[in-house]
Amino acid sequence: MKKYQVVVAGKMRPCALAKISSECHVRQWDKIEPIPRNLLYEWLADAEGLVSTGDVRVDDELLAHAPRLRVIAQASVGYDNVDIAACTRRGIPFGNTPGVLVEATADLTFGLLLCAARRIHEGWNQVASGRWLNNHDVPFGIDLYGKTLGIVGMGRIGAAVARRAKACGMKVIYHNRSRRTDDEHLGATYVAFDDLLAQADCIVVLVPLSPASQGMFGRAEFAKMKRTAYFINAARGGLVDTQALYDALKEGQIAYAALDVTDPEPLPGDHPLLTLPNVLITPHIGSATHETRDRMAMLTADNLLAGLARRPLPACVNQEANYR
Ligand code: DGY
C-alpha cells in the first residue's frame, strides 16, 4: 500500500524514483525548466515529502504552503537554496548527500586544474578545427610538478584533491575555518587566508556558499594573488564576484580561471567571461558520473523515506529537527 504523498520537484535517477514510487504516491516535475512556483505550492498542499532541487528556493513562504511536510531531501551536498533555520523551526529535517560524491568531485576539480594548466581543451580545439599545422605553434601550459596548490575549504573533497595534488608532486597549503587534525597525514600545511592567496600558484575553491562566504573572492582577493595564479572554483558561483574575476582575467591580474560553477548559472552564451582566452568553464558537472549520481539519488531516497517514517535521516543537515 502506498502510504505517503511526495513531490519530486525535478528530474531524478530512475533507480531512486522507483524506490520512492514503491512506497509513495509521487508527483514529479520532470521538465528541464524549473517547476513554476504556483504549481509547486499547489502540489505541496497535501505533500508529506519533498525532493527539492538546487533551483527550488526552499524558504518560509514555500514551507507555509506545505502544512503536512515531514521531510525534505535533495541530491546535493550543497544546500544554499534552502533556509535550514526555517525548516528546523517547523521540525522538518533536511537531508543532503555528503560523502558519496567526494571522489567524483575531486576528480573533476583536479581535472579542471590539469586541463587548464596543460591547455588540453585548447589543444583539442586546435586539432578539431584543422589548425594543427606543426608541433611548435601549439598551446603551451605550465608544470604542476613543484607548484604550490592552495585549497580554500579543506573538507572531504578538499582532502581528496590534496591527495591527487600530492601524487602530481605539488606542495599543498590550505585554509579552512579550523585546522585539520590530520593535515600532516595529508601532507598539507595550514595557512592564513591572505598567505594562501599570496603563496599559491593554483587556488582551488571548495567552500560551501552561505551569507558569510558570498562574494569572498572579489577585487581585493584577486589583487593579492600572483599574476601567474590559476583560479579553480568547483563549489558555488556565488563565492566569486563575477565582474571582479572578469576584470582580473582581462587585466592579467591573474593568469587563468577554470570554473565548474558560475554566477549566474547556467551562464548565458553571450556572457562576457566567454570572450576571454584565459578561461575554461564546465557546466556544473562535479558530481556528474553515472555511479555517483545514482549513489546521490539513492541516499536522497533513503533520506526521504526515513523522514516520512519519522526515523532519523541517514544524512541530515539539521539534526535537531530530525528528533522532534
Ligand atoms: C552538490 O552536491 O552540491 C553539487 O554541487 C551539485 O549541486
Side-chain angles (χ1 to χ4, degrees):
M1 192 185 68
K2 299 198 180 190
K3 288 196 270 188
Y4 304 111
Q5 297 287 344
V6 164
V7 172
V8 177
K11 288 188 179 293
M12 189 169 205
R13 304 283 289 177
C15 55
L17 195 57
K19 182 164 188 174
I20 293 174
S21 302
S22 68
E23 295 191 35
C24 311
H25 291 285
V26 176
R27 276 174 160 166
Q28 187 192 14
W29 177 262
D30 64 355
K31 303 198 172 41
I32 297 283
E33 63 273 15
I35 182 169
R37 204 71 179 168
N38 52 355
L39 180 66
L40 180 59
Y41 288 171
E42 195 186 309
W43 284 4
L44 284 174
D46 62 352
E48 291 150 298
L50 168 64
V51 176
S52 55
T53 53
D55 51 15
V56 170
R57 209 170 4 89
V58 177
D59 54 12
D60 257 320
E61 188 185 291
L62 178 142
L63 297 173
H65 284 83
R68 301 182 64 208
L69 209 57
R70 294 177 178 209
V71 59
I72 304 173
Q74 183 167 301
S76 66
V77 66
Y79 47 85
D80 42 285
N81 59 311
V82 180
D83 183 342
I84 295 295
C87 295
T88 307
R89 277 196 299 278
R90 288 173 161 82
I92 300 173
F94 174 83
N96 67 339
T97 60
V100 294
L101 46 64
V102 168
E103 300 300 332
T105 308
D107 280 346
L108 190 276
T109 306
F110 202 73
L112 275 179
L113 173 57
L114 203 49
C115 210
R118 297 305 312 274
R119 304 289 198 273
I120 293 173
H121 58 299
E122 289 170 35
W124 165 240
N125 286 343
Q126 190 179 55
V127 176
S129 62
R131 289 181 290 112
W132 183 13
L133 303 178
N134 59 52
N135 285 353
H136 305 290
D137 297 320
V138 291
F140 272 61
I142 60 161
D143 286 343
L144 288 185
Y145 183 83
K147 293 288 193 314
T148 297
L149 175 65
I151 300 177
V152 184
M154 189 66 133
R156 280 188 266 190
I157 300 171
V161 170
R163 273 195 278 116
R164 287 157 175 76
K166 297 303 286 184
C168 284
M170 299 186 84
K171 176 182 169 193
V172 178
I173 58 178
Y174 74 99
H175 183 75
N176 219 20
R177 267 174 308 188
S178 54
R179 187 176 165 182
R180 285 182 68 118
T181 50
D182 62 348
D183 62 2
E184 260 179 58
H185 174 71
L186 287 171
T189 307
Y190 183 78
V191 294
F193 184 48
D194 279 358
D195 292 338
L196 183 146
L197 298 180
Q199 290 171 23
D201 299 301
C202 310
I203 295 174
V204 160
V205 183
L206 288 163
V207 181
L209 180 62
S210 68
S213 62
Q214 177 94 33
M216 70 183 282
F217 289 92
R219 256 168 239 295
E221 287 68 34
F222 291 120
K224 288 175 188 160
M225 295 177 192
K226 295 182 181 180
R227 294 186 83 83
T228 51
Y230 279 58
F231 179 78
I232 318 298
N233 185 6
R236 284 291 182 271
L239 296 165
V240 177
D241 174 342
T242 304
Q243 184 62 47
L245 174 62
Y246 172 85
D247 292 343
L249 290 165
K250 177 105 182 151
E251 291 156 15
Q253 179 66 57
I254 64 170
Y256 211 98
L259 314 169
D260 186 44
V261 288
T262 55
D263 180 18
E265 200 170 288
L267 199 67
D270 61 352
H271 194 278
L273 267 182
L274 300 177
T275 64
L276 297 174
N278 48 350
V279 73
L280 165 63
I281 303 176
T282 49
H284 201 148
I285 52 173
S287 64
T289 68
H290 295 292
E291 302 91 325
T292 293
R293 285 286 169 89
D294 275 350
R295 281 195 296 270
M296 292 165 74
M298 290 308 273
L299 180 50
T300 304
D302 290 343
N303 277 335
L304 185 88
L305 295 175
L308 289 170
R310 302 232 191 262
R311 283 185 279 108
L313 274 54
C316 188
V317 171
N318 52 347
Q319 289 291 342
E320 57 279 31
N322 219 349
Y323 297 105
R324 277 169 70 145

